[in-house]
Structures are given as C-alpha cells and as structure tokens.
Amino acid sequence: MLQGPVEISGAKNASLPELAASLLTTEEVVLERVPRVKDVETMLELLLELGAEVHTGEKIRIRAQEIGGEPREELFSAMRASVLILGPLLARSGMGEILWPGGCSIGKRPIDFHLDALKKMGAEIQQEGSRIKARAKRLKGERIRFPRITVTGTENIMMAATLAKGETLIENPAREPEVKDLALLLQKMGAEIGWEKDGLHIEGKESLGGAQHRVIPDRIEAGTFLVIGALSSSFLLLKNVYPGHLTAVFQKAKEAGVDFDIGENWIEVRGGSSFRSLILETEEYPGFPTDMQAQMMVLLCFAEGESRIKENIFPERFRHAYELKKMGADVEILQGKAIIRNVRKLKGTTVKATDLRASASLVIAGLVAEGKTVIEDIFHLKRGYEDFFGKLRKIGAEIREE
Ligand code: EPZ
C-alpha cells in the first residue's frame, strides 16, 4: 500500500500561457514554481528561437528584448499550446507566425475561435498549408463572444488585448484558475484587466513591464493523486494544494465514497473505502474538469453498480477506456458517453498510452491491478506531470521506466 507525503508541482496549464506572456514586454519576467515538464521545455525552446533570453534555475527568467526568428516546425506540432504565442506576438510586434498546432488524440483540436477573434480585432490572417501568418499594424479592442468557452482562446485574446487600442470585452471567458492566474501576472505587468458580470474587460495599454510571479499549484495533478490515494494507499498527504480550485472534484470524490480531509493547503486521502457509482459530466470550470475524467473512470471501475460519464468538452476523449478494457474493465463507449460497471479487479497486461491524462489513468490502473502492467508510449505522461514516477516511488510504488 502506498503511503506518505506528495509535493504537488506548479500548474502546467498556467505556466504555458504565462511563459508566452513574456513576449508582451521588453523587460524581464520571472516565474517561480514552473513545473519541469516536456510542454514547458517546448515553450521555452519556442521563446528562445523567437529571440528571447531564457534562464532556467530555481526560477525561470525570460527577457524578450528583441523578437524575430522562425522556430523549428516540430516545436509547434509537439504542443497544441504553441498557439498561445500568436496573440502576444501580434500585439507586441504586429506580426506572428505559427504552424497549425499539433493535434492530440482527444479529438480534433481546432483554433478557429482564436483566429476569428484576432481577425475581428483587425489582424490579417493568411494560411499557407499548415503555416498561419498573422499581421496587424495595431490590434483594436473589440467585443468578443466565442462560439463556446475556450481556455486557450480566452488566454490568447486576453494577452493580445493588453496592448490593443481601446477596450476588449470577452463576453464568455473561460474562468479556469489557470486563466485567472494569467490575468494576475498580466496585471502585475501593468495590464488593466477586470472580471465583471458581463465578462472579461481588458483596457489596451501602450506597453507592459516585467514582473515576478509564482505559478499556482496544479489542480489536475492534485486530483490525480487524490484518485491514486483512494485506490492504492493507506494514506497520502498531498501538499502545496489550493483546495478552492478542486471543489467539483471534491464533490464527486465524496459522492463516490472517497475518504479524505482538506486543509488550508493540503489534502489527506485514505484508501480502503468501498466506492459508490455515480453520474459524471465534464464541464468548463467550475464544473468537473475534463482533465480528470480518465482518472475518475479508473475509480468508477471499482464502484458498486453502474456509473455514467458524459464528456462534454472533448466527446472523443475515451481512448483510455479501450486500454482499461484490456485490463478487465467493464466499460461501454457510446458517442460522448461511457457506461462503467463494477468489476472486482483489474489484471495487469500491456497497454498503450494515448494522451496525457489517459497515461495517468493507466498508471493508476497499473498500481491497483493484479500483476504487472506495461504501459507503452509513456512519453505522453511526461508532457504534463513533473517527476511523476519519482513521486510514486517515494510513496512506495513499484514502477520503473525501460
Ligand atoms: C485547454 O485546452 C487545456 N490545455 C486542456 O488541457 C484542457 O483539457 C482544455 O483546456 C479544457 O479544459 C491548456 O490549457 C494548454 P478549449 P484548449 O479551447 O484551450 C473547442 C491537458 O491535459 N474549440 O477550452 O485547447 C475544442 O475542440 C490539456 O493538460 C474549437 O472548436 O481547450 C473543445 O471541444 C488537454 N475551436 C472546446 O472548444 C477553437 O478554436 C474547448 O476547448 C478552440 C476550441
């Protein structure tokens, strides 16, 4: 049985836009608690190849004094979040160029909302093959309503709007903690941003300055270890957590019978309880996060009765279910929906990781399954979890990479 403390790292999905935000100023931006994960490395390489000075150490220091240069194509295909440099580049230098970002196996990952909003703000956007070129003498503030809530779409437009002429109102902004944390950094850099009832207001400025900022903890990593603790530990103490970011996850964990306590910046979770089936729907924040759906599916395999998951954000985000079935899970997939029935156990076998959170769900299943599990393509996991195997070994897991 696993047991002990787990240090939760900084949030990948706050770090990525915040690194991109350094392009908005010629001064130095210093970020603390940025997790050392593959996607962050990719973003740092993108910034370097755009001409920024990058120093990594305890803190990450970036100064984009001059920008220009064409980053290697593979940096764009490696990470969808590469789209996040477009808004800042356009706002800062009047031009930006990206490649159609790499898809992920959780479904097609379009960026039409980003491009349509930038066009509305005055950008000219040409597409040549998979290359997207954007130009704008100076973006102008606009009223933006996305066809549906988009996390990186909100982040891209928010960053672009900080240097646009006039005010931008995003009527239906994403309200994830990572979006709020980016807004906080931008305000420290001198941006004028207000979260109002009618949406997110950004008053464009002539320029922004540098800032120092500590990234929020990763709520999805915390949620992942909450499920690990519930299934395979006597107890785990999760440290450096913002419980306020996990309300929907706590509510569903409680409903499923997970035994845990919450402190000011920690969670103590105890294993050994029996689990109850439930109905789960993924929604934009503050609803249940799609990035916790795969992890929760493993727990529901052990819940009495029949559970249902409705995936409203990425309806194809069920590839992990087919791998779990190889381990003996009883899961039926319909369009955008999963039905999970109780099984007594899962059996170790060879499975394949398909995306970041699916990889985590297969590790969770492997920890609780009978016998040895081999997970192929585990590189997906390293895109978003810092030292995941080290953290698991520290609490007693038998896990190794070959
Ligand atoms: C962000 O992706 C996260 N990535 C994802 O985390 C997360 O799953 C997702 O938000 C939802 O919470 C980062 O923050 C780097 P969206 P994003 O735009 O911004 C559709 C992880 O595991 N859409 O909010 O790409 C889209 O297809 C990753 O860390 C368009 O149609 O997601 C989806 O159905 C995986 N056109 C919905 O909107 C667009 O231009 C929401 O997507 C943009 C989005």
Side-chain angles (χ1 to χ4, degrees), residues 86 100 111-120 125 132:
L86 190 59
W100 200 266
I111 58 169
D112 48 327
F113 298 169
H114 301 236
L115 303 180
D116 294 348
L118 289 170
K119 274 184 210 148
K120 186 168 182 188
I125 300 198
I132 297 170

Side-chain angles (χ1 to χ4, degrees), residues 151-168:
V151 171
T152 49
T154 302
E155 291 167 344
N156 228 342
I157 298 312
M158 179 181 2
M159 289 191 282
T162 58
L163 294 177
K165 186 165 177 43
E167 187 190 42
T168 296

Side-chain angles (χ1 to χ4, degrees), residues 12-13 16 80-81 84 106 108-114 148-153 155 176 290-291 313-315 317 356-357:
K12 158 179 93 85
N13 288 350
L16 294 174
R80 179 182 157 66
L84 285 169
I106 57 179
K108 65 183 181 50
R109 306 290 298 280
I111 58 169
D112 48 327
F113 298 169
H114 301 236
R148 62 177 291 178
I149 288 175
T150 161
V151 171
T152 49
E155 291 167 344
E176 271 67 3
T290 173
D291 291 350
I313 310 297
F314 298 110
R317 194 177 201 170
L356 170 54
R357 307 303 171 181

